[in-house]
Amino acid sequence: MASLLNASSSAIFGAKKELCVAPCSSMAHRSRRHASNKVLAVMAPAQSPRTPSASGSVKHAMTMTEKILARASEKSHLEPGENVWVNVDVLMTHDVCGPGTIGIFKKEFGQNAQVWDREKIVIIPDHYIFTSDERANRNVDILRDFCLEQNIKYFYDIIDLSNFKANPDYKGVCHIALAQEGHCRPGEVLLGTDSHTCNAGAFGQFATGIGNTDAGFVMGTGKLLLKVPPTLRFVLDGEMPNYLLAKDLILQIIGEITVAGATYKSMEFVGSTIQGLNMEERMTLCNMVVEAGGKNGVVPADEVTFKYLEDKTSKNFEPVYSDDNARFIQEYRIDVSKLEPLVAKPHSPDNRALARECKDVKIDRVYIGSCTGGKTEDFLAAAKVFLASGKRVKVPTFLVPATQKVWMDIYSLPVPGSGGKTCSQIFEEAGCDTPASPSCGACLGGPRDTYARMNDPQVCVSTTNRNFPGRMGHKEGQIYLASPYTAAASALSGYVTDPRDFLM
Amino acid sequence: MATTAMAAAAISATPSTVKNSFYACNNHAPFLSSCRPRLSFHHRLSSSPLTLPSLSAPKYSPIHRHCAASASSKVDASIANFHGPCYVLGDNIDTDQIIPAEYLTLVPSKPDEYEKLGSYAFIGLPSAAYSTPFIASGATKTGFPIIIAGANFGCGSSREHAPVALGAAGSRAVIAESYARIFFRNSVATGEIYPVECERVGLWKECTTGDIVTVELGENRLINHTTGKEYKLKPIGDAGPVIEAGGIFAYARKTGMIAAPSN
């Protein structure tokens, strides 16, 4: 295995790795997990930044992430490990972290300070919205007061909690709103006070989650000190089977590299399979990069990206792409045609198992929602399974569209092969709960009265992103993370179910 | 366990003392964060000399938080120590276990809500695996100034409420095998808790909740007095200059990126 960096010629200074795609027993998985901690190539130790004249360094090829950060820090070249001040294109915050961020901003910059750019801050209430919790409601008020004071251009406000449709500005889940409202653009730097900000990497930009203090700093300066991450490259090739979704791909990867496998690293997704994914599927992939510890995820922008952006933004953008001989610390190759539907069993996103091997796990409920699994494509996928079955669900099945747009799509888009039925009709016929008001909902539990919160120790199959103890509410709740296909199939049988039971 | 009971007793005497020094410097402005944060790690440590109890009568002397002005006087890191009972956790302790989502309506920059956050620290831990509560029933502060954990501590959410809750509860340092990056970053940026890495994989398995430990930052050393073992700690690395300066804002002022606060 290559260990030292050969600066001038080697494209990849870690070993290339074929991911195990055969079903593995849990024992093998555990021992592989320990082994992978030792096997991964170690990059060259981080070096303090040197001026080009002092080092006489040759200009090296750069990865996408390195290029984006180089441009944003006004440097011609960057190495992984360097700490640089980066210009931020968009800062996002929501109702949970916004008030704290605002508090820090005012304390550090002064009560009368102005934000660095009123058009580059996007404030999106989405987490604890449809609740009677007074503090939660107050937090949205805090956002509103600040937006009025600062004349923030993009504030997706909600005032009437009893009817989300009565709020023309309200969108819903921040990461999907950012995409749908045209705030995600190739080549840019997007920071958000939420771990799933990495979702936007699907657009070929650098997007990562930060805390209140960092965000307060960006609010005043438009800059942040960031450490340049090295990149792990994932090459996904092969025709996507009709029973697999992007969720299965990312669960496969997280299961392989573990919840800390990408810590402080960038995850780059390329290959023919990726090129065939639509934008929402690419978002699902990048969304869960943080679950592997990743700093950010990227998918190179292409025609699919540009088409999506056509009617959403008129801003100019300049995509960047990894150089041919850019250096990656590790490259993984995956033949997608060999994969099978997966779940992440309780209580870790890397506790990977084949859905079909969990067919004896009786479940109590199914949850389809969140930035990870509550987009239009996710609901279309679930509808496809319900349509193929024609039967009714055996357990309570909760549907929480991510945004107003998604909700409208559920009620208006015809589902292919259904003779013109909408998702909502198919869901109703299958006996699912009525699609709820768009928000983050019970993905992270939330206040006690949150719709679909798990308040008892039940077993749930969910299209969300994390299943650590207590994630959806009850500490003893058992959450199986899955794709919308697998979630719908499981709802129909009352057990964790491989969607091929219905799709083939 | 005797140690925990004594620690709890010591802690029950703390709240009013902390509260007095805390509210003494609160300038009553709305939405301003407490004047407690933004102290450099070194400044906080040195302002509260620790008494090292004899091994036969372990007792946790709570650190009083002084609301001094911003980090104007830098102190020699070599005298920075933490001492007291440790709380031991395994791998992959995520932010939902540190501070469950239902408590995130509390805004950390509001002093009273900051304190409340602290009282909920680690309430998300499964009781079966962690039978000793981090904060004793009825208390609002922890008896454990030092947390010892396995790999990937703080994984999950970007919520800054996580390191804030630990700091507000009264913990001083986490000694972990490794950290999730957002949690590490937030710990450094806020100055709420010192995120230290240990050299030894599986350190947490050799310690038990309640063991009396000393963390010597200057010496990069952890001493477990109860077991008699010593461990090497890793130097802080790239985050060092930011912590030395007192967090991201102080660092930015020091390097000329931003000006001092206008009021």
Side-chain angles (χ1 to χ4, degrees):
Chain A
M1 166 187 8
S3 55
L4 291 181
L5 177 60
N6 181 344
S8 54
S9 57
S10 91
I12 294 159
F13 55 98
K16 286 196 192 187
K17 233 172 111 131
E18 298 287 331
L19 277 190
C20 164
V21 293
C24 303
S25 70
S26 58
M27 271 299 288
H29 179 238
R30 244 178 283 133
S31 59
R32 249 185 320 108
R33 189 191 306 197
H34 291 304
S36 69
N37 285 339
K38 301 190 177 83
V39 159
L40 283 180
V42 176
M43 63 170 284
Q47 301 174 18
S48 50
R50 304 168 294 169
T51 59
S53 55
S55 68
S57 65
V58 176
K59 286 231 157 68
H60 304 302
M62 287 193 283
T63 65
M64 253 178 91
T65 293
E66 289 156 26
K67 280 190 177 178
I68 295 169
L69 294 179
R71 192 164 73 189
S73 59
E74 297 167 38
K75 290 178 181 312
S76 60
H77 185 260
L78 283 181
E79 300 266 333
E82 279 188 56
N83 287 285
V84 289
W85 288 101
V86 168
N87 296 324
V88 178
D89 292 291
V90 177
L91 173 71
M92 182 279 294
T93 191
H94 48 53
D95 54 301
V96 164
C97 295
T101 300
I102 291 165
I104 289 167
F105 168 74
K106 285 182 172 286
K107 177 185 175 281
E108 297 289 347
F109 293 105
Q111 277 300 304
N112 300 320
Q114 294 278 295
V115 299
W116 108 91
D117 190 323
R118 57 171 284 275
E119 296 196 7
K120 292 187 176 174
I121 297 173
V122 187
I123 299 193
I124 312 181
D126 66 346
H127 273 57
Y128 304 155
I129 305 302
F130 305 104
T131 171
S132 59
D133 185 300
E134 280 178 12
R135 266 202 306 263
N137 299 333
R138 170 212 62 181
N139 288 345
V140 180
D141 293 341
I142 292 174
L143 297 182
R144 186 178 311 110
D145 290 344
F146 184 73
C147 288
L148 285 170
E149 172 199 299
Q150 299 280 333
N151 195 17
I152 298 290
K153 185 170 180 184
Y154 302 107
F155 173 47
Y156 300 133
D157 195 5
I158 182 163
I159 296 174
D160 184 349
L161 303 182
S162 66
N163 176 13
F164 72 89
K165 286 174 262 172
N167 301 276
D169 295 329
Y170 181 70
K171 308 291 172 215
V173 175
C174 58
H175 307 299
I176 310 310
L178 282 172
Q180 291 178 332
E181 298 307 310
H183 296 297
C184 301
R185 291 173 290 266
E188 290 194 3
V189 172
L190 187 156
L191 302 179
T193 58
D194 194 88
S195 60
H196 293 110
T197 307
C198 50
N199 187 82
F203 290 85
Q205 64 177 144
F206 179 89
T208 195
I210 57 176
N212 298 355
T213 302
D214 278 339
F217 187 90
V218 177
M219 229 178 217
T221 64
K223 293 178 193 292
L224 194 64
L225 187 65
L226 290 176
K227 187 167 176 169
V228 180
T231 301
L232 299 171
R233 188 177 239 199
F234 297 88
V235 186
L236 287 83
D237 285 312
E239 199 183 322
M240 190 81 155
N242 71 336
Y243 44 83
L244 283 192
L245 290 168
K247 182 68 170 278
D248 296 295
L249 303 181
I250 191 64
L251 286 180
Q252 172 72 22
I253 290 169
I254 297 170
E256 194 62 32
I257 69 175
T258 83
V259 287
T263 301
Y264 278 105
K265 298 174 187 135
S266 179
M267 294 173 71
E268 185 175 307
F269 302 103
V270 296
S272 59
T273 312
I274 302 298
Q275 288 165 349
L277 293 179
N278 59 47
M279 286 313 295
E280 293 200 344
E281 284 279 84
R282 295 178 187 194
M283 282 188 241
T284 303
L285 199 63
C286 291
N287 179 286
M288 286 184 72
V289 152
V290 65
E291 266 56 81
K295 180 148 182 162
N296 71 303
V298 278
V299 174
D302 58 13
E303 285 310 311
V304 172
T305 324
F306 306 141
K307 189 98 180 76
Y308 181 93
L309 288 173
E310 247 172 36
D311 61 344
K312 293 182 181 66
T313 182
S314 52
K315 282 197 154 119
N316 289 328
F317 52 81
E318 202 185 311
V320 294
Y321 303 92
S322 291
D323 291 326
D324 285 339
N325 51 341
R327 293 161 304 162
F328 301 93
I329 32 167
Q330 192 112 11
E331 184 178 279
Y332 297 84
R333 293 191 161 270
I334 301 167
D335 180 353
V336 166
S337 67
K338 297 207 169 74
L339 297 183
E340 301 184 64
L342 296 171
V343 294
K345 298 188 294 184
H347 297 275
S348 178
D350 67 5
N351 195 5
R352 181 185 68 186
L354 292 171
R356 63 175 166 83
E357 284 183 348
C358 299
K359 63 178 172 47
D360 295 326
V361 175
K362 194 166 195 303
I363 65 174
D364 300 304
R365 46 164 59 196
V366 166
Y367 185 94
I368 301 178
S370 81
C371 49
T372 315
K375 305 181 286 297
T376 300
E377 291 293 329
D378 300 311
F379 286 106
L380 282 170
K384 191 169 157 191
V385 173
F386 291 130
L387 183 70
S389 152
K391 301 271 196 316
R392 293 177 70 85
V393 295
K394 297 220 166 77
V395 295
T397 301
F398 305 104
L399 312 172
V400 185
T403 63
Q404 289 229 36
K405 279 208 172 103
V406 174
W407 187 94
M408 291 196 299
D409 286 345
I410 289 175
Y411 277 89
S412 62
L413 291 182
V415 176
S418 71
K421 285 185 189 169
T422 61
C423 287
S424 56
Q425 288 172 301
I426 292 169
F427 293 148
E428 196 184 322
E429 283 168 16
C432 301
D433 260 41
T434 308
S437 302
S439 78
C440 297
C443 170
L444 71 163
R448 290 287 159 126
D449 63 347
T450 303
Y451 174 76
R453 186 182 195 277
M454 207 189 317
N455 293 323
D456 298 305
Q458 295 185 315
V459 182
C460 177
V461 174
S462 176
T463 63
T464 55
N465 43 60
R466 289 202 267 265
N467 58 350
F468 294 114
R471 173 68 180 172
M472 294 184 87
H474 199 282
K475 272 200 247 185
E476 270 93 65
Q478 313 256 323
I479 302 161
Y480 287 75
L481 303 176
S483 79
Y485 281 161
T486 305
S490 304
L492 288 165
S493 71
Y495 291 79
V496 174
T497 301
D498 188 308
R500 284 176 288 188
D501 288 10
F502 297 100
L503 290 176
M504 300 184 86
Chain B
M1 190 192 305
T3 313
T4 318
M6 271 194 267
I11 285 302
S12 62
T14 317
S16 57
T17 336
V18 173
K19 192 179 169 185
N20 286 342
S21 65
F22 183 87
Y23 283 105
C25 31
N26 186 338
N27 58 8
H28 306 290
F31 297 158
L32 280 188
S33 58
S34 72
C35 55
R36 177 203 171 274
R38 257 44 91 207
L39 296 176
S40 72
F41 282 107
H42 306 154
H43 198 175
R44 265 199 290 133
L45 299 170
S46 63
S47 62
S48 50
L50 291 152
T51 47
L52 292 185
S54 66
L55 289 176
S56 56
K59 192 171 71 178
Y60 169 43
S61 305
I63 298 172
H64 294 238
R65 294 208 199 123
H66 289 244
C67 263
S70 60
S72 47
S73 53
K74 273 195 57 193
V75 180
D76 189 352
S78 64
I79 66 166
N81 285 351
F82 309 111
H83 180 86
C86 67
Y87 194 82
V88 182
L89 301 146
D91 293 332
N92 299 320
I93 299 298
D94 78 295
T95 46
D96 278 299
Q97 292 178 71
I98 298 174
I99 185 79
E102 63 185 292
Y103 303 109
L104 299 184
T105 49
L106 296 162
V107 175
S109 54
K110 289 169 168 288
D112 54 330
E113 298 187 16
Y114 170 88
E115 292 295 325
K116 263 206 148 99
L117 266 177
S119 70
Y120 295 123
F122 279 133
I123 205 170
L125 288 174
S127 354
Y130 298 97
S131 50
T132 307
F134 183 68
I135 296 176
S137 171
T140 53
K141 300 282 176 191
T142 184
F144 303 98
I146 293 147
I147 296 161
I148 292 181
N152 204 22
F153 184 79
C155 59
S157 166
S158 66
R159 64 190 70 160
E160 202 164 88
H161 307 68
V164 166
L166 297 180
S171 282
R172 286 288 162 265
V174 183
I175 316 296
E177 269 172 51
S178 59
Y179 293 89
R181 53 158 291 271
I182 312 180
F183 178 88
F184 182 87
R185 215 192 141 88
N186 288 345
S187 301
V188 169
T190 57
E192 287 289 338
I193 191 147
Y194 210 111
V196 187
E197 277 185 26
C198 56
E199 296 272 352
R200 164 77 133 268
V201 172
L203 161 66
W204 67 274
K205 294 178 190 166
E206 296 181 14
C207 300
T208 310
T209 294
D211 285 356
I212 303 301
V213 303
T214 302
V215 177
E216 294 174 352
L217 286 181
E219 307 296 313
N220 290 318
R221 181 165 63 201
L222 168 73
I223 305 165
N224 185 330
H225 300 287
T226 307
T227 62
K229 287 190 172 167
E230 276 189 27
Y231 303 90
K232 229 168 115 52
L233 301 174
K234 289 188 192 173
I236 196 73
D238 284 348
V242 179
I243 299 177
E244 285 271 335
I248 185 74
F249 281 96
Y251 180 76
R253 289 194 184 102
K254 187 173 163 182
T255 53
M257 288 290 299
I258 61 175
S262 51
N263 55 325

